[in-house]
Structure formats: structure tokens, C-alpha cells
Amino acid sequence: MKLMRILTGMVIAAVVALSVSACAPGPTKEGTGGYIDDTVITTKVKAELLKDATLKSTEINVETFKGRVQLSGFVSSSQMASRAVSITRNVKGVTSVINNMQIK
């Protein structure tokens, strides 16, 4: 009976350890905290782009991974693309901006 308790305890400890390690960040995946931080950055970037009346920001997609923001979608000119990149760089938490926007 004592052996059964020890084995059960070990199995539970292993399950808990595996569960906790699954939430840990890696080079290609984010941890829970990083995901939340990136979601906040994405929201802030979208809000700043919406504030600019010259940009058609509804046609710009924003994705964030570990502080790196990727802008994609369509803009009317290269000046508008530069404007979107400039606005994005000024958002707190953004470490770099990747411009994949296309001119319509």
C-alpha cells in the first residue's frame, strides 16, 4: 500500500512537471506571459494606426512575436507604408518592424 502511494505521488509529480514545462518559452514559441505581452503590443499598434486618418488601417494586418511586429496587407503608396512603419516603431514594446505591405 505504501509503494502504491509513492508511485502515485511520482506519477502526479511527473504530470505536473510536464504541464509546467509546456508553458515555458522556446526559440520558436512563446510562453504565456510573452503571448500576453505581444497581444498588448498588437492592440496598441492597431489603435495607433486607426488614429491616423490618412491610413486605411483596416487593410493593414498586424502580427507580433516577441516584440517584433510584422505589417502586411495593402496601402495606397510607399509613403503610406513608411508612415505605418514609423507609427509602429513609436509604440512602446516594439523591438523591430517587418514591412510586408504591398502597394495597391
Side-chain angles (χ1 to χ4, degrees), residues 1-15:
M1 199 59 147
K2 190 172 186 178
L3 179 62
M4 195 63 148
R5 277 193 211 158
I6 292 172
L7 287 175
T8 303
M10 289 175 64
V11 168
I12 290 173
V15 168

Side-chain angles (χ1 to χ4, degrees), residues 1 11-12 18 34 38 45 47 57 66 70 89 96 104:
M1 199 59 147
V11 168
I12 290 173
L18 286 173
D38 284 344
V45 169
S57 56
K66 294 187 177 185
Q70 177 179 323
R89 281 193 179 125
S96 65
K104 227 188 216 184

